[in-house]
Amino acid sequence: MSQPPIISVRNLSKTYASGFTALKNVKLDIQRGEIFALLGPNGAGKTTLIGVICGLVKASAGQVIADGHDIQREYRLVREKIGLVPQELHTDAFESVWATVNFSRGLFGKPRDPSLIEKLLRELSLWDKKDARIMTLSGGMKRRVMIAKALSHEPKILFLDEPSAGVDVELRRDMWQLVRRLRDSGVTIILTTHYIEEAEEMADRVGIIRQGELILVEEKAALMRKLGKKQLRLQLKTPLAAIPDTLAGYALELAGEGQTLIYTYDDQQDDTGIAELLRRLAAQGIDFRELQSSQSSLEDIFVSLVQGRP
Amino acid sequence: MNFHAIRAIYRFEMARTFRTLMQSIASPVLSTSLYFVVFGAAIGSRMGEVDGIHYGAFIIPGLVMLSLLTESISNASFGIYMPKWSGTIYELLSAPVSSAEVILGYVGAATTKSVMLGLLILATARLFVPYHIAHPFWMLAFLLLTAFSFSLFGFILGIWADSFEKLQIVPLMIVTPLTFLGGSFYSISMLPPLWQKIALFNPVVYLVSGFRWSFYGVADVAVGISVAMTALFMLICLVAVWWIFKTGYRLKR
């Protein structure tokens, strides 16, 4: 029997006092131990959804169950299991790294555990900075401190709100490795991002939110299979003014002032039609210098989904 | 009860005090000591007695109260305003803590600081002006009750304020005038009859009167009324804080 979801969002809506509706009847289940990426353009409702689950934002309607507990009625049981790394770098500028991480652990109801905090700081390459005031750290280091704070009470669920915002490539790679290690240790991770590369790299499942509505939830691999396109690009020796009528049955388009012929096909089919197409091109005397095939990225899929719906 | 959280908040706030000793402790002790030097030792020696008490000694409870009120309010308001201002309040709001635990942490630390400060000012006053404490238990009780009540008030102020200016307005524009006009430097009985009646609408009168009674056994209003009024103020603040956390006023979006 499959395990119940670790987070179950039921008909969640949020309308702010200004009248702006940030979430519209959102329904979402997050499975235990998965990395779930919530994608959406700015202002889509990603941060509001996280805010409601973590207790920062009051929902207008609906319910959220986390690890079997209602987030409002049983907030203590829920919150001690959740860690949050917000998008903005909110830090206690005058505190030391060591003090602020220990503060977070205590705040979430856990007794002091210097060896655990030391391990955490070492893992995040912060140990050398443990006595430094946070105000003296770089932006990347501050981001690590915020991750350390969120992990200090050993949460079962970790929310990362735009974790790559303003961090360099090295830290991003380190963070991805850390997220994978956490997932391997049983932590469920929900990340919001508009760096699609991040979701493509890490997520098991993807949810796409647009104007407060969750328009799609799918396994990343299945999504890319289902909605991803495969294309064959031929660099022609002689530019074409138009696609010959004899090739009208193929999903072809011209690009690069007639220099590139693009064939879009379904690679799930036994017969992709490539061999026949190449034969017909040869018969028409259309020669090419080189050919390459490519798979559409999650970003392409995301853009088409977000823009493709009214 | 999340005792670890209470301890974490309390330690965090106390660490802030010890990090800024000059501003938190030394500065208010010095400024209050100047009153003792000027009104107690210098001018006080040329003034008569009030209610049978040497003027220098008479003003001590009022001056301690003045520092206690302003410091309680500013400590607690700053304590909760800073996380709001810097954004770190997200952590408090997402933590498994109840409003009672937040209050015990923040207001407990602000109360501790204020009581420490009050006792330090009393010790400093001893260097300039001789005085005695007739009811030490009640003196400590008033000190504690007032510090806690006004720290609660400061906490509410810190949540309400959305700018540093607003944070300063209440202590400077309301509390300080009320304290000066609340019998810190004179007995209410010295005022004309009409002003005596008007003065009774000033809540600080009851605090100063009760506190002075614990020193010298004389009061402008009955000590029972002073205790009741202070407790009532505390109760009103507690209800306000409970409402703030219940509704998320100025905390949650």
Side-chain angles (χ1 to χ4, degrees), chain A residues 143 160-168 171-173 175-176 191-195 198 202:
Chain A
R143 179 74 64 188
L160 296 165
D161 194 1
E162 301 284 357
S164 291
V167 303
D168 60 24
L171 175 55
R172 194 178 305 166
R173 297 277 165 193
M175 213 151 52
W176 290 353
L191 65 96
T192 74
T193 183
H194 54 255
Y195 291 108
E198 194 161 57
M202 288 198 294

Side-chain angles (χ1 to χ4, degrees), chain A residues 144-212:
Chain A
R144 287 171 202 252
V145 171
M146 299 199 67
I147 296 171
K149 282 166 76 71
L151 294 175
S152 65
H153 62 284
E154 305 156 275
K156 286 171 76 174
I157 305 164
L158 180 66
F159 284 93
L160 296 165
D161 194 1
E162 301 284 357
S164 291
V167 303
D168 60 24
V169 177
E170 187 189 3
L171 175 55
R172 194 178 305 166
R173 297 277 165 193
D174 285 354
M175 213 151 52
W176 290 353
Q177 281 180 9
L178 174 72
V179 167
R180 285 196 193 93
R181 282 202 298 276
L182 287 168
R183 193 262 307 271
D184 293 344
S185 69
V187 178
T188 304
I189 291 140
I190 298 103
L191 65 96
T192 74
T193 183
H194 54 255
Y195 291 108
I196 311 299
E197 184 196 359
E198 194 161 57
E200 194 165 351
E201 176 76 23
M202 288 198 294
D204 299 312
R205 285 199 310 147
V206 172
I208 296 181
I209 191 165
R210 190 191 66 130
Q211 292 177 5

Side-chain angles (χ1 to χ4, degrees), chain B residues 22-74:
Chain B
M22 291 299 284
Q23 182 200 334
S24 304
I25 304 288
S27 169
V29 169
L30 178 69
S31 57
T32 313
S33 298
L34 291 174
Y35 282 108
F36 296 135
V37 172
V38 176
F39 293 105
I43 300 174
S45 60
R46 299 190 180 193
M47 293 175 76
E49 293 184 341
V50 180
D51 291 343
I53 305 156
H54 181 266
Y55 186 70
F58 179 84
I59 62 171
I60 288 173
L63 286 174
V64 172
M65 215 31 104
L66 174 65
S67 292
L68 201 68
L69 299 189
T70 50
E71 290 302 314
S72 297
I73 291 171
S74 66

Side-chain angles (χ1 to χ4, degrees), chain B residues 52-233:
Chain B
I53 305 156
H54 181 266
Y55 186 70
F58 179 84
I59 62 171
I60 288 173
L63 286 174
V64 172
M65 215 31 104
L66 174 65
S67 292
L68 201 68
L69 299 189
T70 50
E71 290 302 314
S72 297
I73 291 171
S74 66
N75 278 329
S77 60
F78 204 73
I80 191 67
Y81 181 76
M82 276 308 284
K84 273 178 57 188
W85 179 77
S86 67
T88 55
I89 192 87
Y90 84 87
E91 201 174 21
L92 191 67
L93 296 177
S94 62
V97 290
S98 67
S99 52
E101 289 151 1
V102 173
I103 293 297
L104 283 171
Y106 278 105
V107 176
T111 305
T112 306
K113 283 183 241 178
S114 298
V115 169
M116 276 168 48
L117 188 70
L119 294 174
L120 208 56
I121 290 171
L122 275 178
T124 312
R126 192 78 183 172
L127 300 174
F128 305 102
V129 184
Y131 66 88
H132 68 277
I133 301 170
H135 307 287
F137 169 79
W138 282 107
M139 188 279 286
L140 281 173
F142 268 111
L143 203 65
L144 206 59
L145 193 63
T146 309
F148 182 72
S149 302
F150 278 78
S151 294
L152 267 176
F153 180 67
F155 187 83
I156 295 165
L157 178 67
I159 288 174
W160 167 78
D162 52 14
S163 67
F164 281 100
E165 190 191 13
K166 282 187 180 172
L167 212 58
Q168 300 286 344
I169 278 177
V170 174
L172 291 177
M173 304 290 285
I174 299 174
V175 176
T176 303
L178 284 180
T179 312
F180 271 79
L181 300 173
S184 294
F185 295 96
Y186 53 85
S187 168
I188 299 299
S189 61
M190 294 162 74
L191 297 173
L194 176 66
W195 284 102
Q196 284 187 33
K197 285 188 173 60
I198 291 171
L200 292 177
F201 288 98
N202 178 354
V204 179
V205 164
Y206 301 93
L207 301 173
V208 173
S209 171
F211 197 49
R212 186 173 288 134
W213 170 85
S214 72
F215 279 73
Y216 309 121
V218 293
D220 288 322
V221 289
V223 69
I225 295 174
S226 286
V227 174
M229 291 297 279
T230 314
L232 179 68
F233 182 71

Side-chain angles (χ1 to χ4, degrees), chain A residues 123-143:
Chain A
E123 199 168 18
L124 287 159
S125 307
L126 282 170
W127 182 245
D128 293 342
K129 302 282 185 186
K130 71 181 172 68
D131 297 318
R133 281 187 173 193
I134 296 171
M135 64 193 292
T136 65
L137 302 180
S138 66
M141 283 289 179
K142 285 178 185 161
R143 179 74 64 188

Side-chain angles (χ1 to χ4, degrees), chain A residues 76 79 95 104 112 149, chain B residues 7 19 86 91 93 101:
Chain A
R76 278 187 197 277
R79 292 183 190 175
E95 285 291 323
S104 297
R112 287 175 75 81
K149 282 166 76 71
Chain B
R7 196 176 80 146
R19 211 171 41 228
S86 67
E91 201 174 21
L93 296 177
E101 289 151 1

